[in-house]
């Protein structure tokens, strides 16, 4: 292995490879910071240009885009409550409140440092554990994926600060929106109403941006108050070593969690960030701070979604199976050069595999450098007067939604879901829970139906498999405890009123 690592090191530090990684990091950072441009989209736009590059260089450039974009997705999520991708969804829960409190610099630096450490841990473990992790990933079938998605949905119970029931209703509404479009198994069109744009369902990014960002713009316009109501002066201070040191244990175990979930084909960074956030709140000494500006609430998901990148390399390299959309682009790049991904890649083309390992480390340091250089200018950029900021955000939303697939339908979708989000805010429902249901709904549905197919319609398949059973029990406990607390408070309030 040492010999192969030296081979990969020589491949990665050539001036050509380093130049490609710098270009990839810059493009990934810019693309990831634009709402609607996901890491996979940024990589796909560059893919045709990789034809003239050596296969190892092409893969290194795409890896640099992947790493850089996963961090920069958190920038709009924290500063303007607009997640560039579903993996940055939960970052808005605490990142945006921190920015409203004048702690945008601390939120961005926690996201950056957490992602940096998580990526380093993930990269290191990837090298030594790619084969063992691939075997664990193979143990996950439809019942386990169903249980994992249900476990992710338990986060809803923590989003119903004002009403758990309304949070559950919001989540169910999100799942209902996710059923629009072609049935993933039968191909039957559902709830299309003759609209051709609905054949593929609602675009995920348009729904996220509408429910979270556009609805916030409507609320700010209605209330006629600054969109960033700081408590005190605007600060660009970064997180201190003392503050970050307290987060290191959390960052360590969420790195492992992200790496493991990222190695599961089809799970990816979104599930990793959701589960990490939910578990961070469950084990936190200050769970009441989540949703109000918790440092832990930013560190956990951002660490997990960055370490999930290393996890996504496991099925890609071991089996030639894409663990995410971005990994699929990397497989496509290899196939463009006539290289077949899979286990033989370690033997036939070790310079590609081990060059990628080294490139992931270099790209991580490039991400850190660009993040540190950009935090203060970005905070200053969003500290402009309210009318200008609102207009710029709306223009950014329109441009991002249109450029996603050159369709005005996405712009209309974002506006429509912005109105829905506004009404949900007004009547104390939870747009965040709705988004959660929308993101996880397809995974729940497909995994559930596939499980029934392989078990001849027997529900026992979910409790006969150990991993599935453990995840479902944990999910049930997570749902039941807040409900018991809710009904206990309700009965206590009712008793006090009667007295």
């Amino acid at each position: 292995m040492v010999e192969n690592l030296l081979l990969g090191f020589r491949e990665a530090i050539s001036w050509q490879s380093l130049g490609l990684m710098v270009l990839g990091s810059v493009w990934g950072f810019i693309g990831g910071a634009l709402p609607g441009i996901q890491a996979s989209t940024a990589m796909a736009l560059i893919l045709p240009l990789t034809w003239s590059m050596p296969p190892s260089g092409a893969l290194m450039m795409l890896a640099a885009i992947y790493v850089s974009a996963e961090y920069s997705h958190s920038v709009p999520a924290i500063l303007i409550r607009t997640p560039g991708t579903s993996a940055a969804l939960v970052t808005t829960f605490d990142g945006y409140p921190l920015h409203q409190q004048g702690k945008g610099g601390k939120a961005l630096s926690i996201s950056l440092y957490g992602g940096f450490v998580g990526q380093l841990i993930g990269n290191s473990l990837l090298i030594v554990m790619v084969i063992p992790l691939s075997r664990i990933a193979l143990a996950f079938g439809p019942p386990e994926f169903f249980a994992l998605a249900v476990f992710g949905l338990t986060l809803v119970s923590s989003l119903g600060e004002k009403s758990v029931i309304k949070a559950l209703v919001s989540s169910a509404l999100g799942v209902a929106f996710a059923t629009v479009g072609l049935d993933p198994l039968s191909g039957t069109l559902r709830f299309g109403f003759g609209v051709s744009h609905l054949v593929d369902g609602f675009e995920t990014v348009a729904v996220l941006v509408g429910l979270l960002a556009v609805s916030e713009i409507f609320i700010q316009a209605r209330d006629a108050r600054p969109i960033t109501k700081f408590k005190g002066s605007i600060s660009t201070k970064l997180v201190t070593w003392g503050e970050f040191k307290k987060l290191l244990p959390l960052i360590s175990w969420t790195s492992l969690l992200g790496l493991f979930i990222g190695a599961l084909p089809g799970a990816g960074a979104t599930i990793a960030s959701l589960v990490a956030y939910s578990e961070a709140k469950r084990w936190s000494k200050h769970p009441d701070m989540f949703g109000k500006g918790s440092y832990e609430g930013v560190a956990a998901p951002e660490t997990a979604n960055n370490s999930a990148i290393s996890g996504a390399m496991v099925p890609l390299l071991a089996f030639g199976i894409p663990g995410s959309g971005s990994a699929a682009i990397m497989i496509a790049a290899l196939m463009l050069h006539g290289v077949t991904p899979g286990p033989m890649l370690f033997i036939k083309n070790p310079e590609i595999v081990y060059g990628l390992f080294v490139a992931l480390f270099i790209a991580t340091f490039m991400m850190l450098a660009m993040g540190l250089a950009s935090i203060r200018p970005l905070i200053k950029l969003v500290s402009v007067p309210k009318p200008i900021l609102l207009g710029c955000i709306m223009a950014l939303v329109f441009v991002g939604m249109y450029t996603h697939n050159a369709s005005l339908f996405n712009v209309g979708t974002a506006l429509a879901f912005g109105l829905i989000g506004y009404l949900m805010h007004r009547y104390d429902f939870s747009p965040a829970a709705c988004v959660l249901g929308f993101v996880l709904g397809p995974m729940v549905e497909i995994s559930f139906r596939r499980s029934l197919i392989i078990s001849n319609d027997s529900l026992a398949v979910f409790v006969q498999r150990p991993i599935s059973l453990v995840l479902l029990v944990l999910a049930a406990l997570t749902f039941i405890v807040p409900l018991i607390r809710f009904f206990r408070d309700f009965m206590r309030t009712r008793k006090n009123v009667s007295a």
Side-chain angles (χ1 to χ4, degrees), residues 305-370:
N305 66 33
N306 265 86
S307 62
I309 295 174
S310 304
M313 298 299 120
V314 173
L316 185 156
L317 296 174
F319 310 114
I321 300 172
S324 65
S326 301
I329 301 295
M330 297 177 80
I331 288 180
L334 287 174
M335 297 181 74
L336 270 178
H337 291 83
V339 178
T340 304
M344 293 305 292
L345 197 61
F346 286 82
I347 300 171
K348 291 183 176 178
N349 304 96
E351 76 282 1
I352 294 179
V353 176
Y354 289 91
L356 175 62
F357 289 159
V358 177
L360 284 170
F361 280 102
I362 296 174
T364 304
F365 281 95
M366 288 181 177
M367 174 195 79
L368 178 67
M370 280 193 298

Side-chain angles (χ1 to χ4, degrees), residues 13-264:
I13 62 167
S14 68
W15 67 268
Q16 186 181 27
S17 298
L18 288 173
L20 290 173
M21 280 189 278
V22 169
L23 289 175
S25 294
V26 172
W27 169 238
F29 189 88
I30 295 172
L34 294 174
I37 306 295
Q38 303 182 45
S40 57
T41 307
M43 294 165 71
L45 291 171
I46 292 294
L47 182 61
L49 303 180
T50 64
W51 172 254
S52 57
M53 303 173 189
S56 58
L59 213 58
M60 290 177 192
M61 185 180 188
L62 292 173
I65 296 173
Y66 196 0
V67 171
S68 192
E70 281 299 334
Y71 160 69
S72 61
H73 285 323
S74 68
V75 174
I78 290 171
L79 297 183
I80 57 175
R81 205 191 181 208
T82 306
T85 175
S86 52
L89 165 64
V90 287
T91 306
T92 62
F93 297 170
D94 288 281
Y96 186 63
L98 280 171
H99 177 57
Q100 285 183 307
Q101 295 164 21
K103 299 177 181 175
K106 289 186 181 292
L108 286 172
S109 55
I110 288 172
S111 167
L112 177 64
Y113 296 155
F116 174 74
V117 175
Q119 189 74 57
L120 288 183
I121 293 175
N123 294 344
S124 305
L125 293 178
L126 171 67
I127 296 174
V128 296
M129 297 186 66
V130 60
I131 300 301
L133 277 174
S134 64
R135 290 174 182 155
I136 296 174
L138 281 179
F140 269 65
E144 286 77 17
F145 278 112
F146 169 75
L148 185 64
V150 171
F151 188 53
L153 276 175
T154 60
L155 182 60
V156 171
S157 62
S158 65
L159 298 177
E161 187 179 337
K162 295 182 178 178
S163 170
V164 176
I165 301 299
K166 286 187 176 181
L168 291 173
V169 171
S170 303
S171 177
L173 188 62
V175 173
F177 285 137
T179 62
V180 175
L182 288 176
D183 184 308
L185 295 184
S186 70
T188 306
L189 183 60
R190 303 181 299 193
F191 309 114
F193 305 109
V195 180
S196 59
H197 291 288
L198 290 179
V199 170
D200 294 326
F202 294 115
E203 192 65 50
T204 302
V205 176
V207 175
L208 261 66
V209 169
L211 284 172
L212 298 179
V214 178
S215 65
E216 179 69 19
I217 294 173
F218 288 163
I219 292 168
Q220 299 294 338
R222 178 201 65 185
D223 295 344
R225 57 185 168 84
I227 195 166
T228 49
K229 193 175 181 180
F230 297 109
K231 295 179 179 177
S233 59
I234 299 170
S235 170
T236 58
K237 289 182 179 176
L238 309 185
V239 66
T240 64
W241 168 243
E243 292 167 331
F244 186 69
K245 190 167 62 174
K246 296 176 183 175
L247 297 171
L248 281 177
L250 171 72
I251 288 172
S252 299
W253 67 260
T254 50
S255 298
L256 301 178
L257 187 66
L259 176 69
F260 172 68
I261 295 178
L264 305 176

